[in-house]
Amino acid sequence: MVCVDADPEKIQALQRGEMPFFEPHLADVVQDARRNLHFTTQYSEAIPQAHVIFIAVGTPPGANGNPDLRFLEAAARSIGENLGAHFTVIVNKSTVPIGSGVWVDSLLREAFERKGKKDGGSFAVASNPEFLREGSALHDSLYPDRVVIGAADTATAEVLYTLYRPILEQSFIAPTYLPRPEGVQAAPLISTDLASAELIKYAANAFLALKISYINEIGQLAEKVGADIAQVAKGIGLDARIGSRFLQAGVGWGGSCFGKDTAALVATAGEYGLDMPIVKAAREVNQRQRERVLNKLLAELQTLKGRTIGLLGLAFKPNTDDLRDAPAVEVAKRLLERGARVRAHDPVAMERFRKENPDSEVHCCRSAEEIAVGADALVLLTEWPQYQDLNWEKLARSMRSAILLDARNLLDRARLTRAGFRYAALSQRTGQAVAAV
Ligand code: UGA
């Protein structure tokens, strides 16, 4: 397998065995496959012999909610120029707007023909959306809930089906560091047309995003009526029609996907004269959660000017150093704008934070203990498991005022109160099951 990237630094790092970002077990997988992996910046080294080509370039947020497709366009053109004479399947793995399959096909054809290669070669574009989550990317890739293949004809779909067979049938030997979970059997295959595969990706991400926003909206009401949002989530999630996952209330979603993909869905619908009020509302509620962090702190501290606030967590979720659209990064920025002093700690994302925000006034500290000394409040913004077992008594004693805002509903209110904290959350969470039947 040959991996191409336009960034020579990234390729050189990969050639040295260094991973470009933090993702559990990525280094293990690359190490296991090193004999079959070649990294290069040259399309000519990768494309002519390939039978299947995955385009996995970034599609960052662009103007008007539409993703920026520059990298996709450049990749499609370079692939087209270098395609060999045999039948090749080009797979859109990047999250691309609906209709991109047809567009990529036209770019490939144009580039291919410009090189005078009209005769002999044949190729087809397929869509194979990705459903992995950062932080558990390898697990999700090996043990997917389903595989979706979008193609215009059976021959193209067959190529991908053959490639995915070991995963679909779960016939591969599981790596020791990622054992096959109990009960995991063959993964279902959805074989469909291009547009349906593309829409499945957006519809799935938007649904997950609105599920989170829904529980956060209910969380606000729970706070008013004195209900425990964790119990409410459990109580509704056990209904198999609803399902218990993605009902964790808190500061809401961030990351590179939900914000971008919900914006793109609204933008695409707009191009067809359609409104998407449900998706729009999910976005609004998510934004509101971030504001609520500021409002809660203000309610506790009366003013933010001159206060020292310690942030526990910077990454948009645990097990990653990804800071794209991370709630913590936005909260830090807003606190600074309001005149607060901000300290932060994250087990893996601080180096990236400093690199991406060289002028930021956020003071990164080596430990949770360090951010607590003399602070007016702590805010937990990423639910890293190690934050569950901090020496809370020591932290509370070292603070100017021992206030903790648990923006992820991770901690035990009673435990924190015993340690001397004034505990606040974004929604009520008593942690008490009144009667267990
Ligand atoms: C998401 C989807 O879950 C993947 O299926 C999809 O492949 C991916 O986007 C993508 O399009 O590439 P990801 O953004 O990596 O994955 O992470 P998630 O686990 O979905 O979390 C997203 C955000 O939602 C995080 O900020 C997380 O803290 C938040 N979240 C998640 C909640 O606030 N509550 C929950 O119950 C679950």
Side-chain angles (χ1 to χ4, degrees), residues 95 130-136 140 146 201 204-205 208 212 215-216 244-258 261 286 290 315-318 325-327 381 383 408:
T95 301
E130 183 51 65
F131 301 108
L132 62 80
R133 295 159 300 165
E134 288 183 32
S136 43
D140 293 352
R146 79 299 206 187
K201 171 67 192 183
N205 267 4
L208 293 169
I212 300 166
I215 200 66
N216 283 333
S244 55
R245 295 168 73 189
F246 278 66
L247 282 181
Q248 173 68 37
V251 67
W253 37 269
S256 65
C257 305
F258 288 171
D261 293 352
N286 197 55
R290 296 179 184 194
F316 84 99
K317 63 183 278 191
D325 195 24
L381 283 155
E383 66 277 36
R408 291 287 186 179

Side-chain angles (χ1 to χ4, degrees), residues 225-266:
V225 302
D228 182 332
I229 191 59
Q231 294 296 318
V232 174
K234 199 169 167 187
I236 62 173
L238 285 171
D239 184 328
R241 293 169 300 173
I242 296 173
S244 55
R245 295 168 73 189
F246 278 66
L247 282 181
Q248 173 68 37
V251 67
W253 37 269
S256 65
C257 305
F258 288 171
K260 175 173 69 92
D261 293 352
T262 49
L265 197 56
V266 170

